[in-house]
Amino acid sequence: MAGATGDLGFRIAQALLRRGAAVRALVRPGNLKPEATVLRDLGAEVLEVDFGSVTALTTACAGAACVVSALSGLREVIVDGQKRLLDAAVAAGVPRFIPSDFCIDYTKLPEGSNRNLDLRREFNQRLDQAPIQATSVLNGMFTDLLTGQAPVVLFGLGRVLYYGDADQPLDFTTIDNTAEYTAAAALDPSTPRYLRVAGEVASARGLQRAATEATGRPYKLLRAGGLWVLGALIRVARTLAPAPEEVFPAWQGMQYMHNMFSGRPTFAHLDNARYPDIHWTSVREVLAARHA
């Protein structure tokens, strides 16, 4: 497992351990994050490895049934770093690989509409050419972001902000549910190329209802304009504050919202039922926990 000391990766590793899996967490030399200690105490093997060396990664991957990547970054990580990890997995004879996707369905989006998702698409094109079974987990948007990081549910104003159509379906899944599902998929040798899940599919109008129920306070819809307005805001934000070395600058989050409100990446079907032991957390539950 690569990226096991990050937020999502840490949760995936714990979910794997709860399912009885033997987990080998690959960390960079000198990693002092408390997550590494927690994983070690839970029974995981925490192995320091040079992520710049395919040879070192190959040794680290030896004997694994599945390599799971939860790495986060830009080109040097998502494309170049994962390519080295992929080459190592193939060289070590690992049968399966789960890349660090965990997002909306980028396969339906035009190139150039989202920088971070373009990088995932580029890596997956390489992954599809490799002699290894690959499975991507697509989960829409992390529901957890609605509690503050994503400016959609405006708690102070009692509004739900949206662009375009208030009835456009949007896919949401909590980080915990994504981690649980990924762990189950990692232990399932028969997974397809893509698995699409959503803890809840809700429109802006549905978010309005959920926020009202979760807080006991009436929320209203606030339409900021059509998608062209958000597109213009993205161009302005990217010009004034490009922050090319940041993984999640403001304009990147705006690109993600534009993608979602466009309806293009909306899942045509869901694979939630594949692992029936998972309890899917609703938007209302997440908002209620924040409000408590």
Side-chain angles (χ1 to χ4, degrees):
M1 165 112 210
T5 58
D7 186 8
L8 175 60
F10 183 53
R11 302 188 202 204
I12 294 173
Q14 291 179 95
L16 281 165
L17 290 166
R18 286 195 297 271
R19 288 179 177 269
V23 176
R24 184 181 302 157
L26 308 185
V27 302
R28 290 176 173 79
N31 187 317
L32 299 177
K33 289 186 176 181
E35 290 83 357
T37 300
V38 172
L39 290 177
R40 191 179 288 110
D41 290 343
L42 290 174
E45 177 188 1
V46 179
L47 183 64
E48 293 190 1
V49 62
D50 178 4
F51 277 78
S53 168
V54 173
T55 300
L57 286 168
T58 300
T59 300
C61 290
C66 180
V67 168
V68 179
S69 171
L71 296 171
S72 177
L74 298 177
R75 171 169 296 278
E76 65 275 11
V77 175
I78 296 302
V79 178
D80 301 335
Q82 284 199 119
K83 178 61 165 57
R84 289 190 292 271
L85 185 62
L86 171 62
D87 290 344
V90 171
V94 180
R96 302 177 60 238
F97 191 101
I98 295 179
S100 185
D101 285 348
F102 313 115
C103 56
I104 52 179
D105 195 344
Y106 58 82
T107 67
K108 297 181 178 181
L109 296 174
E111 190 171 344
S113 69
N114 188 304
R115 179 199 61 178
N116 289 10
L117 300 188
D118 284 345
L119 295 175
R120 282 161 171 75
R121 181 189 293 108
E122 181 178 342
F123 172 71
N124 275 277
Q125 288 170 348
R126 298 188 184 189
L127 179 56
D128 285 336
Q129 297 171 0
I132 194 169
Q133 181 185 339
T135 295
S136 291
V137 176
L138 304 178
N139 58 271
M141 173 181 168
F142 289 131
T143 320
D144 315 61
L145 299 181
L146 291 174
T147 62
Q149 287 180 263
V152 178
V153 180
L154 308 178
F155 291 95
L157 298 176
R159 298 288 187 273
V160 170
L161 179 71
Y162 74 98
Y163 295 85
D165 184 0
D167 294 308
Q168 170 60 51
L170 310 168
D171 300 307
F172 297 97
T173 311
T174 64
I175 301 173
D176 276 341
N177 277 164
T178 302
E180 291 177 275
Y181 195 91
T182 302
L187 298 174
D188 177 0
S190 63
T191 50
R193 179 62 182 86
Y194 291 97
L195 287 169
R196 297 170 172 88
V197 297
E200 183 172 348
V201 180
S203 64
R205 209 178 300 280
L207 295 178
Q208 175 196 9
R209 287 193 295 270
T212 298
E213 293 171 2
T215 65
R217 170 190 177 190
Y219 273 67
K220 296 182 179 180
L221 292 173
L222 176 59
R223 187 177 189 270
L227 287 174
W228 70 269
V229 173
L230 182 53
L233 291 174
I234 291 169
R235 290 190 291 273
V236 171
R238 195 166 188 176
T239 299
L240 296 179
E245 301 305 316
E246 290 186 23
V247 180
F248 299 111
W251 57 263
Q252 168 62 39
M254 295 163 72
Q255 281 189 334
Y256 208 88
M257 295 309 302
H258 189 285
N259 294 151
M260 291 186 68
F261 282 119
S262 76
R264 284 175 172 168
T266 303
F267 300 143
H269 71 276
L270 297 177
D271 298 300
N272 291 34
R274 187 177 184 92
Y275 308 116
D277 60 307
I278 296 175
H279 164 75
W280 297 94
T281 305
S282 68
V283 170
R284 184 191 59 76
E285 289 176 281
V286 171
L287 297 181
R290 188 266 187 193
H291 183 69

